[in-house]
Amino acid sequence: MKKHIKYLLCAGLLLTAGSCKKNLDLQNKNAYTYDTYFASDNVLNQATIATYATLLHNGLWAREWYFIFDLLGYEAKNDQPLTGDLLNLAQYNFGNNQPTLDVMWASLYRMVFRANVVIDRANAWKAVTTVELAHQKQYIAEAKFLRAYAYFNLVSLYGRVPLRTSYQETINNLEQPRASVAEVWAFVEKDLLDAQTDLPVAFTNADLGRATKGAATALFGKSYLYQKKYPLAVTELSKLTQAPYTYTLSPNYSDLFNTTNQNNKENIFQIMNQTWTDWGIGSQYYVFGGQEINGKATHSDRAQEYGFNDWSNVFITTTAVKAFTYINPQTNAPYVDPRAAYTFYGDAASGGQTQYCQQCTGGPIAYPFAAKGYHYLKYQYYNLIAVYGGPQSGINGQVIRYADVLLLLAEAYIQQGNTGAEPLGLINQVRARAGAPIYTTLGDQANAFKILMLERQLELTGEQARYFDLIRWGIAKQTINAQRIIEDHTQPFEDKNVLLPIPISEKNANPNVAKDITNDWN
């Protein structure tokens, strides 16, 4: 009403005093802008959490991430219910329009964009109190860790990718060309160095799941290893074995993959679900998209989608199962690794778990599908319930854990020709926790590396590490095709598959990328 009155007054004054146009350009004091909204500790904290939220977006940890890399790394193979674009992944017959890979690319770049917003606005924030100043540094460091995580995966999977280093750069130029692999890795290293400096060693239980100094150090060391900078990898990864860090292997291997694994001393960085967050409500079907419009929720669909009594989309491959049977390093006799019983359901001869529902009313039930094939136990909770009934697993996703770090550190030593006490002790730590017989020697470099490769496979089966390992070791094609020809008489891995195809959505939107793509692939 006041606005209308002012307009009428201006109209009358216009006859005698000219224009009052400036008085009509009123600013809505209640409207937020990019410059005014991100101006408090609470809002910047929310923006930082929103950057973590992309870890659960399409293509990432709530659903597709495990499908993509279990299938591409041939640690999972399709059961009959698996169809559509996920079946394309299993058969390696996809192109640059593969929907699951497209949304993974988009979610990783969404993570980059949100991190850039946090860094830009937190730097502009006029923090005053001691707490605010500490939080300002923390939020920027968390955003840099997440941005580094996104680019770590982009450069590992695609090679040369657009490098969007700031909010302003992105909005001013949406058509950035692909940066060199070296430039992307250098950017990752710089982000992780900054994050390592300003992140805390630990958070309280209320903030579990946020990136810590240890998470940044672990990803830093892993980045060096992937680039074959082995001495630097040793320097970084060794830090995690000593103060101020208190990481240790969980006494029980199975404790890492159950519904109460959130506060385990082996966890370095994990995807938090349900109990330890305030996101344990909302639609369980948010995993299919619309995560932020479907009510608060964080959980994984993996248990139901892999579950033999539920959707049964995949088997664990027979070759992955057979890896758990090998020659005992102490007796030279055939030996079944005890981790088999915590990794898959199968028959007694394979070492797999032969029962489920151990804690259900009525007692254990025999696994009924041994003749049909092997199914994943890791990340499942059939020990508690016979049928899940919905895609709402609260088991946390393991992104980086201490056993992985120990094996990465052992590899960094071996790659430099050191096969002595350091790598031997690291590998044996991991084996001893599992109850497997330890090695007395690693032998020469070739034999030591063979042991290291097997140990990573046994320890990390179904944790989306195998594909990355095979690619960076340069043996993906020969390894996967050799396994596939035995199991299904195909050799689907081609030379081009060493890198994933740049999505057609990026090609169509960015002419500088489009002109840099060969054969509609990469």
Side-chain angles (χ1 to χ4, degrees):
M1 186 66 175
K2 289 180 180 179
K3 183 176 180 181
H4 293 299
I5 293 171
K6 187 168 185 177
Y7 181 81
L8 291 171
L9 288 172
C10 284
L13 290 171
L14 195 62
L15 298 174
T16 58
S19 173
C20 67
K21 182 177 183 295
K22 289 200 303 183
N23 291 327
L24 293 175
D25 294 335
L26 298 177
Q27 181 180 359
N28 183 351
K29 301 294 186 180
N30 294 318
Y32 287 112
T33 68
Y34 179 79
D35 292 324
T36 62
Y37 181 70
F38 300 95
S40 72
D41 195 335
N42 182 53
V43 170
L44 284 167
N45 182 49
Q46 291 177 8
T48 305
I49 292 171
T51 310
Y52 284 100
T54 54
L55 289 163
L56 293 157
H57 283 198
N58 290 346
L60 299 183
W61 283 85
R63 186 170 185 249
E64 288 92 349
W65 186 264
Y66 48 85
F67 271 125
I68 294 170
F69 297 111
D70 288 345
L71 291 170
L72 291 183
Y74 204 52
E75 289 195 318
K77 62 182 180 181
N78 58 286
D79 197 354
Q80 288 184 344
L82 192 72
T83 59
D85 55 290
L86 294 176
L87 185 59
N88 294 150
L89 292 174
Q91 297 174 342
Y92 273 90
N93 61 1
F94 53 87
N96 64 359
N97 61 344
Q98 211 285 338
T100 304
L101 299 180
D102 183 86
V103 295
M104 179 183 71
W105 170 281
S107 291
L108 289 171
Y109 271 110
R110 190 177 303 114
M111 188 182 301
V112 169
F113 180 79
R114 292 188 181 188
N116 282 338
V117 169
V118 171
I119 293 165
D120 182 77
R121 291 297 81 199
N123 274 317
W125 177 35
K126 293 179 173 56
V128 176
T129 68
T130 302
V131 171
E132 287 179 341
L133 289 168
H135 282 173
Q136 182 182 44
K137 294 172 66 176
Q138 176 194 316
Y139 300 149
I140 293 171
E142 288 178 275
K144 287 186 175 183
F145 170 83
L146 291 167
R147 186 170 65 178
Y149 173 79
Y151 277 123
F152 172 91
N153 287 297
L154 286 164
V155 72
S156 297
L157 297 170
Y158 297 93
R160 295 182 300 114
V161 294
L163 189 57
R164 294 161 185 161
T165 62
S166 71
Y167 170 77
Q168 293 297 333
E169 179 189 41
T170 302
I171 62 171
N172 291 332
N173 178 18
L174 293 175
E175 299 177 355
Q176 287 139 325
R178 299 165 77 183
S180 70
V181 169
E183 287 172 321
V184 180
W185 277 122
F187 190 69
V188 169
E189 290 176 15
K190 178 62 169 61
D191 265 358
L192 290 173
L193 180 62
D194 291 347
Q196 187 185 54
T197 301
D198 290 330
L199 286 171
V201 172
F203 285 99
T204 63
N205 282 1
D207 284 320
L208 282 177
R210 300 183 86 131
T212 61
K213 191 184 295 289
T217 301
L219 190 57
F220 204 179
K222 194 171 182 179
S223 298
Y224 280 141
L225 186 71
Y226 274 42
Q227 298 175 77
K228 303 185 182 348
K229 297 179 178 179
Y230 301 123
L232 293 172
V234 168
T235 297
E236 291 304 316
L237 295 170
S238 294
K239 293 176 182 178
L240 297 162
T241 67
Q242 54 200 352
Y245 304 109
T246 58
Y247 299 116
T248 186
L249 295 175
S250 171
N252 299 309
Y253 183 76
S254 61
D255 287 348
L256 295 162
F257 311 101
N258 60 35
T259 54
T260 59
N261 70 336
Q262 288 87 350
N263 199 9
N264 192 298
K265 287 289 188 180
E266 190 167 335
N267 297 329
I268 295 178
F269 187 64
Q270 57 181 327
I271 307 300
M272 303 297 288
N273 287 318
Q274 290 186 344
T275 307
W276 288 80
T277 72
D278 66 346
W279 287 54
I281 57 176
S283 170
Q284 59 186 303
Y285 295 100
Y286 90 106
V287 293
F288 299 110
Q291 286 90 340
E292 292 168 352
I293 62 172
N294 233 341
K296 290 182 176 181
T298 61
H299 42 251
S300 168
D301 196 13
R302 174 172 176 153
Q304 185 172 61
E305 298 218 84
Y306 279 28
F308 62 80
N309 263 358
D310 288 83
W311 293 352
S312 192
N313 277 311
V314 301
F315 296 106
I316 181 174
T317 61
T318 303
T319 51
V321 166
K322 287 183 176 179
F324 287 85
T325 299
Y326 54 93
I327 298 300
N328 187 318
Q330 295 185 2
T331 66
N332 289 322
Y335 176 77
V336 180
D337 194 282
R339 283 166 289 193
Y342 302 108
T343 304
F344 59 89
Y345 290 97
D347 52 23
S350 68
Q353 179 56 248
T354 59
Q355 295 180 327
Y356 71 105
C357 227
Q358 292 90 335
Q359 293 165 265
C360 300
T361 302
I365 303 172
Y367 170 65
F369 301 114
K372 181 181 177 183
Y374 306 96
H375 284 93
Y376 268 103
L377 184 155
K378 186 180 283 188
Y379 283 113
Q380 307 294 117
Y381 54 102
Y382 277 136
N383 59 309
L384 299 175
I385 191 169
V387 178
Y388 300 128
Q392 53 186 343
S393 173
I395 299 175
N396 288 356
Q398 296 291 341
V399 182
I400 307 175
R401 58 185 179 90
Y402 191 53
D404 187 11
V405 165
L406 294 179
L407 294 176
L408 291 171
L409 180 54
E411 180 183 342
Y413 281 120
I414 292 169
Q415 294 282 19
Q416 296 178 82
N418 181 344
T419 65
E422 291 92 346
L424 177 65
L426 293 163
I427 291 171
N428 280 339
Q429 276 190 64
V430 176
R431 290 183 61 78
R433 184 270 298 276
I438 63 172
Y439 290 94
T440 56
T441 179
L442 297 178
D444 62 17
Q445 187 177 22
N447 193 66
F449 189 66
K450 183 178 178 181
I451 289 171
L452 182 281
M453 288 193 295
L454 175 62
E455 198 58 33
R456 285 191 62 77
Q457 182 177 10
L458 300 177
E459 180 70 19
L460 301 170
T461 295
E463 296 182 53
Q464 298 79 59
R466 181 75 171 159
Y467 177 78
F468 289 88
D469 284 348
L470 294 176
I471 292 293
R472 67 189 177 86
W473 290 334
I475 60 171
K477 180 181 178 180
Q478 66 198 67
T479 302
I480 291 171
N481 282 346
Q483 294 174 349
R484 292 292 293 261
I485 200 167
I486 293 171
E487 286 209 41
D488 61 15
H489 311 293
T490 67
Q491 296 186 71
F493 197 105
E494 301 179 36
D495 290 334
K496 66 179 183 179
N497 293 119
V498 171
L499 293 175
L500 296 181
I502 301 294
I504 194 169
S505 58
E506 180 69 24
K507 178 183 176 182
N508 290 341
N510 188 339
N512 287 319
V513 168
K515 66 184 181 183
D516 194 20
I517 294 175
T518 303
N519 297 326
D520 280 335
W521 191 266
N522 193 315

